[in-house]
Amino acid sequence: RTSELVKQKEEKEILLKEIHHRVKNNLQVINSLINIQSSNITDKHALEVFEECKNRIKSIALIHESLYKSNEVSRINVREYMSMMMKSLLETYPVNKEIDLKMDLNVSYLNLNTILPLGLMLNEIITNTIKYAFPDKDKGEIYIQLKALDDENYEMTIGDNGIGYTGAPFE
């Protein structure tokens, strides 16, 4: 009976990995279709919208790639995921400056239901930081602190050493 349960568990893990691999591949196909569609667009603002859409899709694809490659099919290594996302965003928005990611994490792993919305939030915040925080600097730093408050609640603090926000609050 035990060997049968172990075998069933292994089969489920293999199936889950295959599903994550297929989802990642399908998301890459979607990004390729967006690339094809956007290749005929000359409007700068429209191209930025396409690029931001592709980055959101990439942040989700990175999660599925992490799950596919991991021995842990139900949780994601937070540090690895944030590092991969930062690298991907720096490749997307090539800036002629060095931007470092400093992380203070007391959370090592998160499940899929938590990491997906977190990844989308991080994608937006890091993208805006890369694009706008360091216009007159050769180097910049982005700080992310994530700590567990209890089993279901987390606190994330994000900052940078850029120019700061000068607009009116809640524009």
Side-chain angles (χ1 to χ4, degrees), residues 32-130:
S32 296
L33 292 171
I34 292 171
N35 271 337
I36 292 167
Q37 189 67 37
S38 64
S39 66
N40 298 321
I41 295 176
T42 56
D43 179 76
K44 185 180 176 184
H45 178 70
L47 283 172
E48 285 180 13
V49 170
F50 275 98
E51 204 58 47
E52 288 171 8
C53 181
K54 287 179 359 189
N55 283 332
R56 290 179 186 116
I57 293 169
K58 273 188 204 175
S59 73
I60 296 169
L62 284 173
I63 292 168
H64 290 282
E65 181 178 1
S66 296
L67 287 168
Y68 171 71
K69 290 181 176 179
S70 172
N71 292 331
E72 303 275 346
V73 293
S74 61
R75 59 190 196 146
I76 301 276
N77 182 304
V78 178
R79 182 173 302 279
E80 286 177 14
Y81 174 69
M82 287 183 185
S83 297
M84 286 185 341
M85 179 186 288
M86 182 70 174
K87 181 181 179 214
S88 175
L89 290 171
L90 286 172
E91 289 170 0
T92 300
Y93 299 103
V95 289
N96 296 329
K97 53 194 83 196
E98 181 182 328
I99 300 176
D100 291 324
L101 178 62
K102 307 285 186 189
M103 294 181 276
D104 177 14
L105 311 172
N106 82 347
V107 177
S108 298
Y109 294 91
L110 290 172
N111 65 36
L112 188 60
N113 291 335
T114 305
I115 199 86
L116 270 172
L118 177 73
L120 290 171
M121 284 189 300
L122 284 172
N123 179 68
E124 298 300 314
I125 294 166
I126 292 172
T127 295
N128 285 338
T129 303
I130 290 170

Side-chain angles (χ1 to χ4, degrees), residues 113-160:
N113 291 335
T114 305
I115 199 86
L116 270 172
L118 177 73
L120 290 171
M121 284 189 300
L122 284 172
N123 179 68
E124 298 300 314
I125 294 166
I126 292 172
T127 295
N128 285 338
T129 303
I130 290 170
K131 288 168 60 175
Y132 305 116
F134 312 111
D136 299 325
K137 290 183 156 193
D138 292 332
K139 289 185 174 186
E141 291 182 347
I142 298 172
Y143 312 98
I144 299 174
Q145 180 184 55
L146 180 65
K147 59 183 175 181
L149 301 177
D150 55 44
D151 288 342
E152 296 180 6
N153 296 293
Y154 303 90
E155 179 179 276
M156 182 169 60
T157 306
I158 302 174
D160 60 66

Side-chain angles (χ1 to χ4, degrees), residues 2-35:
T2 303
S3 66
E4 186 178 315
L5 288 174
V6 169
K7 183 180 176 188
Q8 286 177 350
K9 181 181 181 269
E10 289 171 355
E11 287 173 355
K12 285 181 182 179
E13 287 178 0
I14 290 169
L15 285 172
L16 267 176
K17 282 184 174 255
E18 182 62 25
I19 288 168
H20 288 300
H21 184 65
R22 288 180 185 214
V23 169
K24 177 197 68 115
N25 287 346
N26 287 335
L27 291 169
Q28 288 176 332
V29 167
I30 292 168
N31 260 355
S32 296
L33 292 171
I34 292 171
N35 271 337

